[in-house]
């Protein structure tokens, strides 16, 4: 069993409050977040961006292991995740995560790549965590 941690600190409340997030690995160390970074494009991060990064990286790693297991040991995978935040009554919800994969895997048939990518989308731990609609768009280069 693996446990990873992150901490979030918020000073002040609501729109005028400011937050900082840090991760166990130290990759994020007091990275700024808050209303302005989430809704107004100010520098800093936000929860949806972090979810998108987690989903893109988890899916891509799962696919790389699936490809290796199928005997494909060379190539490149690049995934963009677009996480959508929608109004939900008086609040908000993450309604979807759209993955866009660009893959270059020598010797693989497109149908096999698409099958393995779909399985990775369904089975990566972050996909299982998200209770949102997910799509996958594959570009073979």
């Amino acid at each position: 069993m693996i446990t990873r941690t992150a901490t979030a600190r918020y000073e002040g409340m609501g729109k005028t409050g400011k937050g900082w997030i840090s991760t166990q690995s130290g990759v994020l160390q007091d990275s700024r977040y808050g209303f302005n970074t989430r809704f107004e494009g100010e520098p800093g991060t936000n929860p949806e961006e972090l979810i998108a990064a987690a989903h893109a990286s988890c899916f891509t790693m799962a696919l790389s292991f699936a490809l290796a297991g199928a005997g494909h040991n060379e190539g490149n995978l690049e995934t963009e995740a677009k996480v959508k935040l929608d109004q939900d009554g008086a609040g908000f919800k993450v309604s979807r995560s759209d993955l866009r994969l660009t893959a270059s895997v020598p010797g693989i048939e497109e149908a096999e790549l698409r099958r393995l990518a779909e399985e990775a989308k369904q089975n990566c731990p972050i996909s299982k965590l998200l209770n949102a609609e997910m799509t996958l768009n594959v570009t073979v280069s």
Side-chain angles (χ1 to χ4, degrees), residues 5-85:
T5 61
T7 58
R9 185 173 84 252
Y10 215 78
E11 295 176 4
M13 299 300 151
K15 289 182 180 182
T16 61
K18 299 205 182 311
W20 295 267
I21 186 168
S22 298
T23 57
Q24 174 184 354
S25 68
V27 169
L28 296 177
Q29 189 65 40
D30 288 328
S31 296
R32 191 161 120 22
Y33 83 103
F35 179 86
N36 294 337
T37 66
R38 193 175 199 180
F39 296 105
E40 296 179 348
E42 283 193 13
T45 191
N46 59 72
E48 294 73 36
E49 176 181 72
L50 298 171
I51 291 168
H55 200 200
S57 60
C58 184
F59 163 77
T60 305
M61 183 182 285
L63 180 54
S64 77
F65 274 81
L67 287 162
H72 303 281
N73 295 307
E74 294 182 21
N76 295 297
L77 306 172
E78 184 172 334
T79 306
E80 175 187 54
K82 290 184 177 181
V83 168
K84 186 172 184 183
L85 183 67

Side-chain angles (χ1 to χ4, degrees), residues 11 31 48 53 59 95-96 99 102 107 110 113-114 140:
E11 295 176 4
S31 296
E48 294 73 36
F59 163 77
S95 61
R96 61 185 303 129
L99 300 171
T102 300
E110 187 172 337
L113 175 63
R114 288 181 182 280
V140 178

